[in-house]
Amino acid sequence: MTTSFDIKNKKTMGLAAMQGRGFYYPFDLAFDSNDKIYVLGRGHDYDPRGARITVMDMEEEYYGTFGSFGDKEGQFMWPSSIAISNKDKIYVSDEYLNKITIMTTEGDFISSFGQLGNAEGEFDGPNGLVFDDNNQLYIVDHRNGRIQVFDEDGNYIRKFSSEGESEGKLNLPWGITHISDDTLYISDWGNHRIQEFSTNGDFIRTIGSKGNNESNLLHPSSSAVDDLGYVYVSDWGNHKLKVFDKHGTFLCSNRGEGTLSKWAQDFLDTNVQEKEARSKANLVFELESFKNDPFTESSHVEKLFWCPTSISFHKDKLLIVDSSRHRIQVFNKVEKL
Amino acid sequence: MKDKKDRSLVVVQLSGGNDAMNTIVPYNNGIYHDSRSAIHLTEKEIIDIDGSLGFHPEMGALKNLWDQNKVAVINGIGYPVPNRSHFRSMDIWHTAESESIAPDGWLGRTIREIDPNHNNVVTAVNFGRGLPRALVCKDVPVASVGDLETYGLMPDIKGKEQRQDVLNYFSRMYGPNQGRDAILEALGENGVSAMNGADILSGANSKYSSSIEYADNPISNNLKDIAKVIFADVGTKIYYAQHGSFDTHAGELFNHAKLWKDLSDALGDFFEDLKEHDRQDDVTVLLFSEFGRRIQDNGSGTDHGSGGVAFVLGGSVNGGFYGEQPSLEISEQVEGDMKYNNDFRSTYATLLDKWMGIDSVPILGKNYEQFNFINKGT
Amino acid sequence: MSNKDIMLMAHLMRRVGFGSTKDELEEYIKNGYDNQVDIILDSEPNYEISKHLINRYQPDYGSPMGNSSNGASWLYKMIWSDSPFKEKISLFWHGIFATGYAKLANGIVLHDQIKMFSKFGLGNYKNLLIELSKDPAMIIWLDNCESHKGAVNENYGRELLELFSMGTGNYTEKDIKEASRAFTGWTIANKDYMTTKSQRDSVWPYGRLAMHFEYKEDDHDEDEKIFLGETGNFNGEEIIDIICKQKATAKFISRHMYSFFVEDEPPVPEWPYKEPNNPNAIELLSEVYFDTGYNIKEMLRFLFKSKFFKSEKVWNKRVKSPIELVAGTLRITKEFERPDKQQSSANSHTSFMGQHAMNPPSVEGWHWGTEWLDSGTVVERVNFSSSKLGDVNNSGIRKIINNVKSNISNQYSTELLIEKILEELGSIIVSKTTKDTLKDFVNSKINSEKSLNDDNLSELLQLIGAMPEYQRA
């Protein structure tokens, strides 16, 4: 008897906003020790106001925003990932300026490190960030196809892996997560797989591969692991969430179930004309053009994931940053049916 | 009385939709307070005008000019069937055409009237890259200047003499020796015209001398550059600049304040500069925006609305209120927005006819009722 | 392999794409001219990779939130695509079926429209017109969603005839009315919500939404119509069928092709009064139109292999549109390989030069030829070109410099230097006046191989970027 699995959507948070309450192309998020969420907005090239950090919590309380576009201290140009140390310091990677910026949770600049290059301690597109239990910071140096490890003050410690397609090698990797048995899961975006490494840099295994089946991946951006060892992947190129068990067997997927968040509801309540027109619209449908083109499908059907960039657990909730829809979709863990 | 031909018009576009209600503030109005719980301005904060309306707190310099009777405030300005899309509404203001899509702008047509033979390539100067539709008209040359100090051809060549040397070769390639096909002719004419324009304008930059210290921000820099060209007397009649973004959907109090402080101070400095050079009666400034914003705020800012405010400033202006302050009563609102009561083309017509001495009807397509904000006898 | 062969190939590549450098031309020559035409027309570029790569760094790919990302990623494709012809064709149709962001306030539908041009732009003209009539961007742009049975809006019917197929003077006002009746019911799904969002410029709550075609049968006027002399209960498809049968359509499309690919024709509003530059060419193209059942690709194949196209008389006869100028220049300089902020800045430049991609000033599109040139745009164009070509740090320019140096090694002369540089840049043809000017400039700065340093070469390249011939294609 085969067991079926399912994953249920709990709610949606967020709103498209260049300033104030909301985000523009959020790429990643992190929690501080007080359960506040710091959502890293990427913005886009023609409107840099979106490059900032928005502070909120799981009840959708809005606490403010800080950070801005630019190349001066404390500013970002292509902010990509965010991590928070156990001392509640914020770390943001910038894949255009090739540096990591350290700030307080109030947004005050502390320091930064990094510059363009491929020597040790230099970056070419620093991306995913994660701390291990010893406060070592793992940085995905994606165009150099490697992981570099630093201490929390930005001092270089070591590195591992290199560019390539074989096992243990990386091709434009993106997200990274760490779990407490001291392993790392790295999203190998260019090789369409998740790779597990020890924190020492020893290759352990891969999950997923390129292909057209439901169990395959296309440019995965990020992954998260629950306490049972299930691996949750934000399958960016397919605009899906995919779940694998601890042996790497595919369990189930979800195409996204965005609903109206508190902030979205507030917007509609203030804009009655738009709310009315929306209530009469049919927002879910299927078109010929959707075949083999989930990007197009997501551009039409609002509730679906559109470029999910980051996935992580907070307590027992799964948070997926749904970047092109400027929101966060929250799910429960996978459950057996 | 100065000759009309010394006059010029400076148009400053406030891009993004300036919130009229927080600019000219009905601070005693209960509806204003109730609809704007997050972003209303209080009696203490505003600069009072007449007991029921006040200027935004950062408009001190503008209030000075108002007290000298040099500021006309045109309330409730707009057009029928308001459009709340930035691009479309701005196009309507640029082309003075609200029913269909026109390819050229009201100022472009004006320049064509002023200088039909293109005798002066700097009849109109735009401060900013690219050309706003308002200035576009077939065959009408307009210089688009990013920064007056560096404006010109081949700015990458360093060193004044070196550059002049290279530009000599440039002018040979664009000169009459090239023989004729239509394209070479167009390239030649425009290339040479651009060089001449750059020469004329660089003269303006180097001749400038003033005791006024402008702030260092884009609108101040632009107005200072405009002043330089005015004083150089090169025959420019129309200047254009932009300021923004006024699209304050969020964080309005902070953003709107900064925008008006920069603008108001810049205008104050500009008029001081004009006064110092005895030109304040020769220049009229128009401030406009593509629409106003909604009466109700959204918790942090306001969304696109209609029924805005425009300003006409200058030594030859009859200060005061024009148009009517739109009512905030629900029965008078248009889908939650203020209703316009005067068509923006009336303001255009007034500036064209009464200030520039140009017949407005062929430029705007028909006759629009005019205001009295330009001093009779000028 | 003669010099004339290279120059002919350079001319072809400037017209089917955005120009080629010397080493590319030497590869293409090996295929032979006619064969090369076939290869260009029949090859399919590989898009999927570049789309994901662009999207990774530019989350606004497809321009959900603005419009300018559309122009930026289109430029990226023009520069890096292995088949720039596909992009050129889309640009061609975009200029004719001009639809602008200003009214739509939605970049996705424009992105989708360009995709549609890419997909159908080389096929059958009838199909293309049908797809166009169902295109959501077009439907909103020309108000067809406001056209109802009993309350017909004639905007689309009019422009379909005037600008997209037959040209003015070949039909009557009644024909416009009848055509418009036939297109009632051709609307978009969720029309009220979509138009509300457009008018309010709404990106809320979760960004903009793509749109799709919906046919509302109960809103369609199915009664009898008389159109161009034929009678029937025509729906949109039948109207298009009748339109495509007309000689006027063949000539109109042929003239557009001639103008875009051969030499600048006068602006469209003048077509009823001004004869084509080459009436015979238009005749021949019209014949191919009918012989191949309105096949666009085959018309172009005929065009590129024709005497009138290959003739030296039309070499360099067009003014490059801003997009061609920018894309062509960046193809030479190769200043960025990965998707970068640079392509966003490049897109702004085309806008300063008067061509904002996906945002033409009106349904007439942009006026081409000498109308691209005024004293403001000439400054932008010259400054952009000279600045880019003069930047010796760009890998493309560096390569050209190295090639030139090795080619004139030990046989330096002013003549040779200029000849080699112009060859490397894609066999640019210059007049005697320009050549003399360049020679005098070189003589004043460089007298031997030793003075071929970066500074001198940069200035020379800047002057070449500034020359009037560089503005032409």
Side-chain angles (χ1 to χ4, degrees), chain C residues 273-464:
Chain C
Y273 323 112
K274 287 219 178 106
E275 278 293 293
N277 282 312
N278 187 336
N280 187 46
I282 309 301
E283 260 312 305
L284 291 171
L285 284 169
S286 302
E287 273 172 35
V288 180
Y289 171 88
F290 285 115
D291 289 343
T292 61
Y294 328 137
N295 191 306
I296 299 158
K297 188 195 273 196
E298 294 313 317
M299 286 173 78
L300 288 171
R301 200 188 305 273
F302 176 82
L303 184 151
F304 292 125
K305 292 184 182 177
S306 71
K307 278 215 199 87
F308 62 76
F309 175 79
K310 289 154 82 169
S311 158
E312 278 182 53
K313 285 196 287 191
V314 301
W315 291 8
N316 242 30
K317 270 303 236 159
R318 296 182 61 248
V319 177
K320 286 178 184 160
S321 64
I323 289 179
E324 288 173 71
L325 179 66
V326 170
T329 305
L330 294 176
R331 274 187 83 96
I332 295 175
T333 66
K334 298 194 181 358
E335 63 189 65
F336 54 88
E337 290 194 33
R338 318 159 176 153
D340 193 282
K341 281 187 162 318
Q342 304 288 45
Q343 79 237 27
S344 304
S345 130
N347 186 48
S348 302
H349 280 287
T350 71
S351 195
F352 299 148
M353 294 178 200
Q355 188 177 30
H356 187 191
M358 280 83 155
N359 195 27
S362 76
V363 68
E364 277 181 33
W366 294 280
H367 288 176
W368 56 72
T370 54
E371 300 210 34
W372 285 123
L373 308 170
D374 64 45
S375 55
T377 59
V378 166
V379 176
E380 289 288 349
R381 294 173 68 118
V382 165
N383 285 354
F384 177 84
S385 315
S386 62
S387 174
K388 291 299 177 192
L389 289 189
D391 189 346
V392 299
N393 294 320
N394 286 324
S395 63
I397 300 295
R398 177 59 61 195
K399 186 156 182 243
I400 286 173
I401 289 178
N402 291 342
N403 285 353
V404 169
K405 279 185 180 168
S406 67
N407 264 326
I408 64 176
S409 175
N410 297 323
Q411 5 158 15
Y412 176 85
S413 80
T414 306
E415 275 271 355
L416 198 60
L417 173 65
I418 293 173
E419 190 188 306
K420 290 299 167 191
I421 287 192
L422 292 176
E423 245 177 54
E424 286 292 330
L425 290 169
S427 295
I428 306 182
I429 308 163
V430 301
S431 69
K432 183 168 185 314
T433 307
T434 298
K435 201 165 220 176
D436 287 342
T437 311
L438 291 175
K439 275 199 246 176
D440 288 345
F441 176 80
V442 169
N443 285 334
S444 76
K445 297 217 175 265
I446 303 172
N447 49 21
S448 74
E449 233 170 296
K450 285 201 215 89
S451 23
L452 286 180
N453 56 44
D454 278 357
D455 282 339
N456 285 336
L457 284 167
S458 167
E459 269 190 35
L460 174 58
L461 283 162
Q462 285 187 59
L463 195 58
I464 289 176

Side-chain angles (χ1 to χ4, degrees), chain C residues 24 37 40 71 79 101 105 131 167 169 172 194 197 225 267 328 333 351 370 381 393 414 417 458:
Chain C
E24 290 170 326
V37 170
I40 289 167
I79 296 163
Y101 181 81
E131 289 299 320
T172 64
M194 294 301 150
K197 281 180 82 99
K225 303 162 188 82
T333 66
S351 195
T370 54
R381 294 173 68 118
N393 294 320
T414 306
L417 173 65
S458 167

Side-chain angles (χ1 to χ4, degrees), chain C residues 161-194:
Chain C
L161 293 171
E162 181 175 332
L163 295 175
F164 303 157
S165 62
M166 296 174 65
T168 200
N170 293 300
Y171 48 86
T172 64
E173 282 295 309
K174 187 94 208 296
D175 288 321
I176 293 176
K177 286 182 162 55
E178 300 290 80
S180 304
R181 284 176 58 210
F183 281 102
T184 48
W186 290 52
T187 182
I188 52 170
N190 301 320
K191 172 205 151 259
D192 284 337
Y193 189 39
M194 294 301 150

Side-chain angles (χ1 to χ4, degrees), chain A residues 99-268:
Chain A
K99 66 179 186 185
I100 312 297
T101 299
I102 309 178
M103 315 172 92
T104 68
T105 47
E106 269 74 62
D108 299 315
F109 173 78
I110 297 176
S111 65
S112 69
F113 60 94
Q115 62 182 23
L116 174 64
N118 55 15
E120 287 172 0
E122 294 183 331
F123 303 111
D124 192 354
N127 228 316
L129 298 174
V130 78
F131 280 97
D132 69 8
D133 298 331
N134 298 320
N135 251 354
Q136 295 197 342
L137 178 64
Y138 296 74
I139 302 177
V140 178
D141 186 8
H142 88 277
R143 283 192 282 253
N144 283 329
R146 63 186 182 180
I147 310 299
Q148 297 201 68
V149 190
F150 290 74
D151 72 16
E152 57 181 327
D153 297 314
N155 299 309
Y156 171 80
I157 300 174
R158 59 190 164 88
K159 64 177 168 30
F160 60 87
S161 193
S162 61
E163 206 181 318
E165 281 176 20
S166 50
E167 287 180 348
K169 297 223 186 256
L170 302 167
N171 182 0
L172 300 178
W174 194 336
I176 185 170
T177 190
H178 167 269
I179 57 175
S180 40
D181 68 356
D182 250 12
T183 59
L184 300 159
Y185 284 73
I186 298 168
S187 303
D188 194 1
W189 186 87
N191 287 328
H192 312 290
R193 62 190 179 189
I194 308 295
Q195 293 203 65
E196 190 184 356
F197 285 79
S198 74
T199 46
N200 285 328
D202 302 313
F203 166 78
I204 299 175
R205 61 171 177 149
T206 69
I207 298 170
S209 60
K210 189 172 188 190
N212 296 323
N213 293 324
E214 206 48 31
S215 56
N216 293 122
L217 298 174
L218 182 64
H219 293 306
S221 54
S222 176
S223 62
V225 184
D226 72 12
D227 49 355
L228 297 174
Y230 290 122
V231 182
Y232 299 68
V233 181
S234 54
D235 193 10
W236 182 90
N238 282 325
H239 310 276
K240 277 185 170 161
L241 155 66
K242 291 191 175 175
V243 191
F244 299 81
D245 74 11
K246 62 182 180 169
H247 304 293
T249 310
F250 172 74
L251 297 182
C252 64
S253 69
N254 190 294
R255 187 69 174 83
E257 292 167 33
T259 53
L260 289 174
S261 66
K262 257 197 206 138
W263 301 350
Q265 194 60 63
D266 282 346
F267 167 78
L268 288 170

